[in-house]
Amino acid sequence: MDTIVPKKRLLSGMQPTGAGKLHLGNYEGALKAWVALQDRYEMFCFVADWHALTTLAGTGQSIVADARSIALDYLSAGLDPEKCAIFLQSEVPQHAELFLLLGMLTPVSWLERVPTYKERREIVAEREGGEAGVSFGLLGYPVLQAADILVYRAHSVPVGKDQAAHLELSREIARRFNHLYQTDLFPEPQALISEDTGTLIGLDGRKMSKSYDNAIYLTDTADDINAKMKKAFTTPTRQRMSDPGVPEGCSVCQLRRLYDPEGYTVQWEECRAATRGCVQSKKETADILNAALEPLRERRKLYADDPAQLDRILAQGAEKARDTAEATLREVRRLMKLV
Ligand code: SF4
């Protein structure tokens, strides 16, 4: 008789910052890999709306609409609610309870040495005019991150190559809990490094980022992309078609390479030889991007046109997440002698 081996658990999530819009960099660097993993793992995909408060608290910005929009991006990218639980973090209060309990056994010195804390602390202090603007939430952020993962006793977390170190603190917290309470309750979550697609170049030649206003969003219409592509950065020294271009440094044709891996070399050679113009390249690249994004747009429309369906998906996802998380918390409370 065949033995059914239970699937390992995987946790993934993104913050609803960036006006609730994910861009091609998010898609290529994370979402695409999540979609590929959903058949192999028992998957929990959340929108980290509480995490967004580390930078948005007190700004008056509404988070819920952005969080729902990110959930739509998950669905449009191909995450299947039948295969993976999709939910908002704030709908699962067990994340907050475990955050509090793990906070009791996490040394402050561990948190103060997290490189992203140092960077963010400086940014916030500068923005707020002093250290008084640096919240406990900013310092405790990695404990909430650990709680997000450990509450599901997730075995794996998909991360980009440069983010693997971020998981180390969650692993240390898991080890500390297991050691203090003589248990193996928490597996040490492993980084699942997604295939390195390289840094996606934005339309101004810098890294694609919402903050640089140089991104192509999954929600962009074909007209949006056509217009953005017309203004995109190319080879600055190329004033006329007879000037040879440098495709390696050109935002348009870097995108072309990613989305047309078979055909881009011809275009690159013609650019170097100055036998093709940028107008043609931009038009062709826009067409290629629009064709690649069309299935995502169609899926998004299905869910966006039916908010009740999105409500159901998020409610079902949160229910499964709460059930799984509560089973963990029951054990945690017992081990910590709270019951
Ligand atoms: S032809 Fe393409 S690669 Fe060359 S500069 Fe123009 S847009 Fe860039």
Side-chain angles (χ1 to χ4, degrees):
M1 199 174 78
D2 290 343
T3 317
I4 297 174
V5 180
K7 286 180 178 172
K8 289 197 165 179
R9 238 174 235 168
L10 182 143
L11 186 278
S12 55
M14 286 192 210
Q15 281 194 36
T17 44
K21 296 195 288 189
L22 297 180
H23 55 65
L24 277 185
N26 303 127
Y27 179 61
E28 292 298 332
L31 271 181
K32 236 177 167 175
W34 299 2
V35 173
L37 291 166
Q38 63 184 339
D39 289 314
R40 288 171 33 212
Y41 287 85
E42 184 190 5
M43 198 153 159
F44 293 83
C45 266
F46 72 110
V47 181
D49 48 358
W50 277 337
H51 280 286
L53 288 170
T54 51
T55 49
L56 296 181
T59 62
Q61 191 170 323
S62 165
I63 292 176
V64 69
D66 289 351
R68 287 173 65 88
S69 178
I70 297 289
L72 279 176
D73 276 342
Y74 288 178
L75 292 161
S76 71
L79 284 176
D80 180 347
E82 298 296 320
K83 296 177 181 172
C84 97
I86 299 172
F87 57 97
L88 308 190
Q89 182 186 28
S90 58
E91 293 292 321
V92 186
Q94 287 84 354
H95 286 240
E97 184 177 350
L98 189 60
F99 166 57
L100 181 147
L101 296 175
L102 295 178
M104 300 301 173
L105 49 92
T106 304
V108 172
S109 59
W110 287 9
L111 301 174
E112 285 174 332
R113 70 168 197 240
V114 172
T116 44
Y117 170 64
K118 290 181 196 155
E119 283 163 27
R120 285 174 168 202
R121 182 188 172 133
E122 280 169 22
I123 294 168
V124 171
E126 197 179 314
R127 194 185 64 203
E128 304 292 326
E131 288 284 312
V134 178
S135 68
F136 160 72
L138 200 68
L139 179 68
Y141 181 95
V143 184
L144 181 55
Q145 209 168 35
D148 296 334
I149 300 165
L150 300 180
V151 83
Y152 301 105
R153 287 180 265 181
H155 304 93
S156 303
V157 180
V159 292
K161 208 174 177 181
D162 54 342
Q163 300 160 333
H166 296 184
L167 252 193
E168 193 45 42
L169 196 73
S170 299
R171 293 157 57 82
E172 277 183 278
I173 292 173
R175 278 198 291 273
R176 186 165 173 92
F177 184 96
N178 288 349
H179 173 72
L180 286 175
Y181 294 98
Q182 296 295 295
T183 178
D184 58 1
L185 179 67
F186 293 127
E188 283 184 32
Q190 303 299 316
L192 212 62
I193 312 274
S194 47
E195 191 190 335
D196 189 7
T197 48
T199 301
L200 202 70
I201 303 292
L203 297 169
D204 60 359
R206 294 183 288 176
K207 178 184 173 180
M208 188 175 285
S209 161
K210 161 84 174 65
S211 44
Y212 294 150
D213 192 22
N214 66 359
I216 289 180
Y217 294 100
L218 304 189
T219 45
D220 279 349
T221 63
D223 287 345
D224 292 334
I225 290 183
N226 294 339
K228 284 181 176 183
M229 202 52 74
K230 277 185 188 156
K231 288 193 263 170
F233 173 88
T234 58
T235 302
T237 51
R238 196 168 194 218
Q239 304 296 329
R240 289 170 294 275
M241 196 174 129
S242 53
D243 299 329
V246 185
E248 290 80 359
C250 169
S251 64
V252 174
C253 294
Q254 288 294 331
L255 284 167
R256 171 101 184 221
R257 181 171 69 161
L258 188 63
Y259 285 90
D260 182 20
E262 309 288 314
Y264 81 94
T265 48
V266 174
Q267 184 206 15
W268 279 35
E269 286 313 315
E270 289 176 357
C271 169
R272 286 193 193 99
T275 55
R276 76 151 47 217
C278 296
V279 172
Q280 183 192 353
S281 282
K282 287 179 166 189
K283 168 83 178 67
E284 288 173 5
T285 306
D287 290 347
I288 288 167
L289 286 177
N290 279 323
L293 285 177
E294 200 46 39
L296 281 77
R297 290 184 188 131
E298 281 170 14
R299 273 195 295 269
R300 187 181 178 97
K301 187 170 175 353
L302 282 180
Y303 294 109
D305 287 351
D306 186 357
Q309 194 189 2
L310 179 63
D311 288 343
R312 271 195 303 278
I313 288 168
L314 293 176
Q316 278 166 10
E319 190 179 349
K320 179 175 179 191
R322 279 193 298 269
D323 287 350
T324 311
E326 182 56 22
T328 303
L329 258 304
R330 273 198 295 272
E331 269 306 285
V332 170
R333 292 184 207 113
R334 186 184 68 73
L335 288 160
M336 295 183 87
K337 312 279 187 233
L338 290 166
V339 287

